[in-house]
Amino acid sequence: MKTVIKIAWRNVWRNKLRSLTVIMSMVLGLWAGLFSVAMILGLNEQRMNSAVDSYLSHVQVHHPSFTENLDLAHTVPAYDSLASYLKTDKRVKCFSSRTIISAMASTAHGAAGVRIIGVDPAQEKQVSNVSQGMVKGSYFEGVKSKPAIIGKKLAEELQLDIKKKIYLSFIDINGDQQRIKLKVAGVFKTASTLFDASNIYMKKEDLQKVLGKGQAIHEIGIICNAFEDATKVAQGINTFSPKNKAETWGEIAPELGYAQEMMSGIIYIFMSIILVALSFGIINTMLMAVLERKRELGMLMSVGMNKRKVFYMVIFETLFISFVAAPAGIMISYLMISYFGTYGIDLSAVGEGLEELGIGTRVFTQLPVEHYINISLLTFFLTFLSSIIPARRALKLDPAEAVRAL
């Protein structure tokens, strides 16, 4: 068997141009596939993280009926005891209570339906990244009476600027129409233009005064110490406070959770398609190599090499090509993915479209180590399957006819 392996290795390099062409095609195929997958994973991860950091949090707590119609009467039951419980849960890093109402925002330049979120600025700063996305003004500073911060998209639609007035109309818990006047303290921008176009933050104490309720808490946003703790934290809250409903980010936005679950499957389907396409090139090349060496193979069988060894020789020749190409393709992919995972890819040319999907303009590629290993194994497996066809063709050669071949 050692002799067969040596002959197979030498046969690979007898026609260097052909072998290098196949090797380069495999290297480029692996690089293109892995880099594309890493970019897709980076886009999905950024979309998920921007949603969690902006408005989803890891876990949200509501009255069971609040999310159906944002009814002001559906506040979080027993908020004080629940807050005490969250402070003792070591898996909870921080949380923020919010008062939320639907309203109509209007200025002299237009009107838009919005969601008013009353927050404690210090608490909210720990839970969401809105304070870090200020593009104008400041985070609840610079305005003494009823300051508000609004999304950049909404500011553009209503032509608002710092210290400009905005009027909000809504129906209170008694069915009466209320109207409040706010001053813009700052303008924020997140990765999602949809979120920026429909949300206004104000101080919770100012909103609760208008509502006439001292502690109208409609939502609690919770950040866990680890992303994986979200499910257990939600289950613990539902057990401790069954009158409330705690949901993880994946339950609140199922499309994000489903996309995250499907990513691993999509990776292997995508790479399998690329590798199957490459395998046809390998099959074609190795069939040509077998037919070109028809006389040589006939002579080897005539002098005593049995067909089993001929079969193994062609198999090893094909595998040796993948043993050279796969590590090179994986290494190049790893270096480029690591580089762009650190410095990112600037997609500002299509930034507006990405922001509609909740994705930023700079994407950071990523690919977990286990995917490199699994895709390498998948490459060797498909290469082995590709080698069977030319190897079987070699078995069908008749030694007497093969030695007379031109």
Side-chain angles (χ1 to χ4, degrees):
M1 186 60 69
K2 186 182 292 186
T3 303
V4 172
I5 293 173
K6 286 183 179 180
I7 294 173
W9 175 253
R10 290 173 180 172
N11 285 338
V12 170
W13 301 109
R14 285 172 61 182
N15 192 325
K16 293 182 181 179
L17 180 60
R18 181 170 59 201
S19 297
L20 288 174
T21 300
V22 177
I23 289 170
M24 285 304 299
S25 67
M26 289 188 67
V27 169
L28 292 176
L30 281 170
W31 167 76
L34 289 172
F35 191 79
S36 299
V37 164
M39 193 168 177
I40 292 170
L41 283 176
L43 287 168
N44 186 69
E45 185 77 12
Q46 186 166 336
R47 183 188 177 202
M48 183 186 69
N49 287 337
S50 65
V52 169
D53 294 340
S54 299
Y55 58 91
L56 281 182
S57 307
H58 290 158
V59 179
Q60 285 187 11
V61 182
H62 306 97
H63 183 284
S65 303
F66 176 73
T67 53
E68 296 176 5
N69 52 17
L70 300 184
D71 192 330
L72 296 179
H74 293 157
T75 57
V76 174
Y79 168 73
D80 290 333
S81 62
L82 181 55
S84 299
Y85 168 80
L86 292 175
K87 289 177 182 178
T88 59
D89 192 334
K90 294 182 180 180
R91 295 167 301 190
V92 175
K93 182 179 181 181
C94 54
F95 65 92
S96 176
S97 58
R98 300 160 181 160
T99 302
I100 300 175
I101 62 174
S102 295
M104 179 63 69
S106 60
T107 66
H109 303 284
V114 297
R115 189 175 69 152
I116 305 173
I117 307 174
V119 298
D120 179 292
Q123 285 184 347
E124 191 66 23
K125 194 172 185 178
Q126 297 176 2
V127 173
S128 71
N129 64 358
V130 172
S131 61
Q132 302 170 15
M134 305 303 297
V135 293
K136 279 187 180 181
S138 59
Y139 183 68
F140 290 109
E141 295 176 359
V143 174
K144 294 182 179 179
S145 177
K146 295 180 181 177
I149 58 173
I150 66 174
K152 183 181 178 182
K153 187 70 174 179
L154 183 62
E156 292 172 353
E157 290 178 0
L158 301 182
Q159 299 183 30
L160 285 167
D161 208 338
I162 305 304
K163 295 189 177 180
K164 294 289 185 179
K165 297 175 183 178
I166 180 172
Y167 295 90
L168 303 172
S169 302
F170 63 94
I171 304 299
D172 65 16
I173 195 170
N174 299 317
D176 299 323
Q177 186 174 17
Q178 297 286 349
R179 184 177 171 89
I180 56 176
K181 179 180 69 175
L182 304 178
K183 270 191 178 181
V184 178
V187 177
F188 67 86
K189 183 179 183 300
T190 65
S192 173
T193 55
L194 294 176
F195 181 79
D196 296 348
S198 58
N199 288 276
I200 296 177
Y201 285 87
M202 64 180 293
K203 289 186 176 180
K204 183 170 60 180
E205 59 188 52
D206 293 337
L207 183 55
Q208 289 178 348
K209 285 179 183 178
V210 177
L211 294 176
K213 300 188 70 175
Q215 199 176 39
I217 304 300
H218 297 114
E219 179 178 283
I220 304 174
I222 301 169
I223 296 296
C224 304
N225 287 315
F227 208 84
E228 298 76 18
D229 291 337
T231 301
K232 292 182 180 178
V233 169
Q235 291 172 349
I237 294 171
N238 287 328
T239 301
F240 174 80
S241 181
K243 292 184 179 180
N244 287 304
K245 184 179 181 182
E247 297 175 291
T248 64
W249 63 272
E251 295 170 325
I252 300 167
E255 71 282 359
L256 293 178
Y258 182 72
Q260 188 71 6
E261 291 176 3
M262 289 294 292
M263 274 300 120
S264 293
I266 291 173
I267 288 172
Y268 295 114
I269 291 172
F270 184 75
M271 287 305 302
S272 295
I273 293 171
I274 291 176
L275 291 173
V276 167
L278 288 172
S279 68
F280 284 107
I282 296 172
I283 292 170
N284 182 59
T285 301
M286 293 310 298
L287 279 173
M288 289 176 60
V290 168
L291 294 175
E292 284 180 3
R293 291 156 40 210
K294 189 175 180 181
R295 184 176 182 181
E296 175 187 324
L297 294 173
M299 291 179 64
L300 288 173
M301 287 186 285
S302 297
V303 297
M305 179 178 279
N306 59 42
K307 289 189 175 183
R308 181 171 59 87
K309 290 183 178 180
V310 172
F311 181 83
Y312 287 147
M313 183 177 70
V314 178
I315 292 286
F316 281 127
E317 287 179 27
T318 311
L319 288 176
F320 283 147
I321 291 175
S322 67
F323 288 159
V324 174
I330 295 292
M331 182 57 65
I332 293 171
S333 301
Y334 175 77
L335 293 174
M336 291 198 68
I337 290 169
S338 299
Y339 176 83
F340 288 108
T342 302
Y343 298 101
I345 303 172
D346 186 8
L347 298 178
S348 55
V350 290
E352 187 173 345
L354 290 175
E355 287 176 358
E356 292 289 341
L357 299 173
I359 302 172
T361 57
R362 184 166 287 275
V363 177
F364 297 88
T365 55
Q366 61 169 13
L367 190 65
V369 175
E370 61 266 21
H371 291 317
Y372 289 105
I373 298 172
N374 293 337
I375 289 171
S376 297
L377 295 175
L378 180 63
T379 302
F380 296 140
F381 175 71
L382 289 177
T383 303
F384 171 74
L385 292 181
S386 302
S387 67
I388 293 176
I389 295 176
R392 283 175 59 85
R393 181 68 182 82
L395 288 179
K396 294 179 181 179
L397 294 175
D398 181 68
E401 292 182 2
V403 292
R404 293 196 297 271
L406 296 176

